[in-house]
Amino acid sequence: MKINLFDLTGKTALVTGGSRGLGLAMARGLGLAGARIILNGRNVDALHRSASALCNDGIEVQISPFDVTNPDAVNRAIAEIENTQPVDILLNNAGMQYREALETFPVDQWQRVMNTNCTSAFLVGQAVARGMIARRQGKIINICSLMSELGRPGIAPYAASKGAVKMLTRGMCTDWAQYNIQVNGIGPGYFRTEMNIALSGDPAFSDWLCKRTPAGRWGEADELTGAAVFLASSAANFVNGQILYVDGGLSACV
């Protein structure tokens, strides 16, 4: 009898920041592997458009608009979801970027970056983990970054937030592995997304990146889906507290 370790049929996956970019690409990958998808974001129109696109791919999908940085909103939304279907897979993808020299970086933007990139993963992860603990199973995937390990000019707060997500991932594993919950991270390198449109449109930066990356190019969004499906599947049942970097080899060399 053949066994498909990557089959997610019957599983429900909540994807935060899932209306566009890498979040939507990974949601599509999880859906094509059989999972029911719940797309989260704050822009309801964008969520409806993305849900419609996934439906056209034959994926079962619904939306859940809520602010992942608001504790009350998070707890209400997760309670509503769990009342109808348990969350088997959580993909903490919500994130943002703000570029400015560190010596002039506004405090309010620091707080916004940290809340969106890191605090949201804590809040949603905590709310979802309560149900997973009771069921004694679950998969949590936190989206880290190449910047969880490296620094670049003008994005120190972003790097700090993603470094924190890396350590939050390991902390979640340490606390929750005893309940048969696997918590891992994905560290994307440079991908062509809306958030990176200024960089990808800069010939000088693209030239530097392609020379710096062993693969010699930018990543494409759908190239992240395999990592997400793997970490969400039974194939990763004994993989815990790890960060899988998907960066064309950039972090492997100097």
Side-chain angles (χ1 to χ4, degrees), residues 112-128:
R112 185 175 171 223
V113 169
M114 294 300 294
N115 286 340
T116 304
N117 294 353
C118 183
T119 303
S120 68
F122 162 72
L123 292 174
V124 183
Q126 183 186 61
V128 169

Side-chain angles (χ1 to χ4, degrees), residues 144 162-172 243:
C144 301
K162 289 300 187 176
V165 174
K166 177 184 75 172
M167 295 311 299
L168 177 63
T169 299
R170 291 176 176 171
M172 287 177 167
I243 314 300

Side-chain angles (χ1 to χ4, degrees), residues 78-124:
I78 300 305
E80 290 174 4
I81 292 169
E82 289 271 341
N83 278 337
T84 60
Q85 55 194 318
V87 176
D88 304 292
I89 302 158
L90 168 62
L91 185 63
N92 271 320
N93 169 75
M96 64 161 292
Q97 176 64 286
Y98 185 89
R99 298 175 184 276
E100 187 166 327
L102 186 57
E103 63 271 19
T104 56
F105 204 95
V107 173
D108 62 332
Q109 290 297 337
W110 162 274
Q111 293 169 335
R112 185 175 171 223
V113 169
M114 294 300 294
N115 286 340
T116 304
N117 294 353
C118 183
T119 303
S120 68
F122 162 72
L123 292 174
V124 183

Side-chain angles (χ1 to χ4, degrees), residues 65-85:
F66 63 91
D67 182 354
V68 293
T69 69
N70 183 311
D72 292 335
V74 168
N75 288 325
R76 281 195 304 269
I78 300 305
E80 290 174 4
I81 292 169
E82 289 271 341
N83 278 337
T84 60
Q85 55 194 318

